């Protein structure tokens, strides 16, 4: 997930049981053109050996550039190149990249054939069910991908028009799985450990891809529900995660981009709105530390009150 699944977060997820890693997607145009963006792209593609198998995810709208860039990226050592066919962001999808590519399955087939021929490592894809309810062409798309060398398909069971909300149609994952001879990962509307098992049962998918449910709760990969992780443990992980991020990005930027993780690690304190709104303003480690300490104090007091009553 762009903006979230960077190297620190993926390492934490892997330690807790995730089966493979996908990098945040990278734009092949940026890689080909912008020198300025080179260091940002390098950070996005940083990974540890313990994360293998690791997939570099790419997107773009020019087939030749996708192939050329994928070929160059494989020299950085990923196990897989994954093609993003699911991004619904307007400036990406409406320019014909991400989910915009779903509109033309025949062209996708040709692209996959070129990628498979050009690369010495497997090519996989992440799709949605189609552009909108009137064009749910996921069977056609998955067939074109598989027939042209795609090694695995991750299916986000929503259309482009649905974005990230609304019901995910797991029956479509089951349909794809029942026809495919390659592994199929299911994705969408998995919030809890029970949801993981339910999706597997309902779709027979080979694996479950977890996105937002892992933010602030990487323990989902250890099959632990949110409620079973005490605030102390959550804050200990937040401290470690923050340290990894400041190590990677430097103290200033690391603290800035940790904010979106920080608020999710203290979901226990939903009622303490003020503390959460102060967390999203933290700009250095000392500020985070003081709020973590405050959170633990609030939690301690509320436990004491529960014991007394
Ligand atoms: C902030 C954000 C960033 C995302 N970035 C990516 C991305 O880079 N590549 C990708 O394939 N999907 C991306 N997604 C989509 C997720 O991988 C996933 O398909 C979607 O969130 C549904 O799964 P979930 O309900 O488990 O989150 C992103 C989603 C969000 C919310």
């Amino acid at each position: 997930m762009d903006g979230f699944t960077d190297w620190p977060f993926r390492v934490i997820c892997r330690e807790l049981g995730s089966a493979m890693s996908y990098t945040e997607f990278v734009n092949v145009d940026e890689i080909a053109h912008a020198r300025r963006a080179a260091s940002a792209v390098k950070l996005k593609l940083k990974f540890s050996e313990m994360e293998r198998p690791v997939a570099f995810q790419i997107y773009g709208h020019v087939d030749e550039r996708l192939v050329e860039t994928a070929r160059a990226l494989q020299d950085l050592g990923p196990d897989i190149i994954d093609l993003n066919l699911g991004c619904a962001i307007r400036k990406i999808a409406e320019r014909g990249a991400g989910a915009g590519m779903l509109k033309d399955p025949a062209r996708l087939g040709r692209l996959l054939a070129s990628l498979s021929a050009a690369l010495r490592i497997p090519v996989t894809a992440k799709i949605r069910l189609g552009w909108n309810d009137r064009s749910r062409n996921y069977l056609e798309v998955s067939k074109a991908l598989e027939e042209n060398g795609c090694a695995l398909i991750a299916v986000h069971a929503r259309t482009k028009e649905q974005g990230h909300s609304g019901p995910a149609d797991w029956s479509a994952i089951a349909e794809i799985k029942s026809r495919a001879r390659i592994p199929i990962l299911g994705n969408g509307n998995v919030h809890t450990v029970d949801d993981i098992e339910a999706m597997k049962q309902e779709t027979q998918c080979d694996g479950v891809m977890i996105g937002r449910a892992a933010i602030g709760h990487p323990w989902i990969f250890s099959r632990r529900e949110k409620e079973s992780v005490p605030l102390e443990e959550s804050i200990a992980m937040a401290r470690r995660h923050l340290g990894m991020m400041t190590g990677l990005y430097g103290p200033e930027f690391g603290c800035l981009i940790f904010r979106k993780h920080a608020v999710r690690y203290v979901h226990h304190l939903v009622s303490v709105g003020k503390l959460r709104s102060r967390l999203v303003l933290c700009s250095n480690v000392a500020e985070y530390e003081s709020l973590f300490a405050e959170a633990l104090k609030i939690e301690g007091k509320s436990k004491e009150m529960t014991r007394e009553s």
Side-chain angles (χ1 to χ4, degrees), residues 50-301:
M50 56 80 86
E51 285 186 78
R52 292 190 186 280
V54 60
F56 282 0
Q57 193 187 62
I58 57 171
Y59 72 96
H61 62 287
V62 180
D63 294 9
E64 295 71 27
R65 191 163 297 145
L66 281 159
V67 176
E68 200 182 290
T69 310
R71 202 201 314 256
L73 287 180
Q74 70 181 339
D75 292 338
L76 299 179
D79 301 289
I80 293 165
I81 295 287
D82 185 72
L83 179 62
N84 181 301
L85 303 173
C87 182
I89 296 171
R90 185 175 297 164
K91 69 174 196 246
I92 294 178
E94 283 175 12
R95 273 190 79 196
M101 284 200 150
L102 297 173
K103 289 178 171 175
D104 188 349
R107 173 203 169 187
L108 266 183
R110 290 192 296 276
L111 172 57
L112 249 290
S114 305
L115 281 166
S116 321
L119 303 185
R120 54 179 185 275
I121 57 176
V123 185
T124 62
K126 163 114 181 287
I127 68 169
R128 283 183 182 249
L129 303 186
W131 185 260
N132 57 28
D133 272 349
R134 295 171 301 286
S135 57
R136 287 166 46 109
N137 60 350
Y138 52 89
L139 288 181
E140 212 185 327
V141 165
S142 48
K143 185 166 182 276
L145 295 174
E146 178 173 348
E147 284 178 351
N148 288 285
C150 191
L152 169 153
I153 303 175
V155 183
H156 178 187
R158 292 189 176 92
T159 62
K160 182 263 164 198
E161 245 177 41
Q162 282 182 281
H164 291 103
S165 54
D169 178 5
W170 290 1
S171 72
I173 302 173
E175 253 185 290
I176 295 174
K177 172 62 195 167
S178 70
R179 287 165 169 79
R181 280 157 301 167
I182 55 173
I184 300 297
L185 305 183
N187 170 242
N189 251 1
V190 174
H191 305 290
T192 65
V193 175
D194 284 349
D195 292 341
I196 298 174
E197 297 312 324
M199 178 183 264
K200 279 177 150 177
Q201 280 282 321
E202 215 171 302
T203 69
Q204 299 300 308
C205 64
D206 300 282
V208 173
M209 176 184 268
I210 295 171
R212 288 164 294 181
I215 303 169
H217 182 55
W219 294 271
I220 192 165
F221 294 110
S222 308
R223 301 289 206 273
R224 282 177 73 186
E225 296 289 16
K226 230 175 186 174
E227 301 68 35
S228 76
V229 182
L231 182 67
E232 293 77 7
E233 197 176 344
S234 227
I235 285 186
M237 183 63 84
R239 285 190 170 120
R240 174 160 175 246
H241 192 162
L242 175 60
M244 290 164 86
M245 285 185 75
T246 53
L248 181 64
Y249 301 107
E252 212 170 299
F253 192 53
C255 281
L256 185 74
I257 59 175
F258 183 68
R259 290 170 174 175
K260 59 194 170 203
H261 290 281
V263 287
R264 303 290 285 268
Y265 277 115
V266 296
H267 61 87
H268 316 66
L269 301 172
V270 177
S271 57
V272 192
K274 269 193 199 148
L275 196 136
R276 289 166 61 87
S277 54
R278 278 158 58 208
L279 267 175
V280 296
L281 296 175
C282 282
S283 51
N284 58 55
V285 173
E287 282 173 12
Y288 277 115
E289 279 302 338
S290 116
L291 288 182
F292 290 155
E294 208 175 309
L296 288 167
K297 216 160 139 191
I298 295 167
E299 174 82 351
K301 268 196 193 139

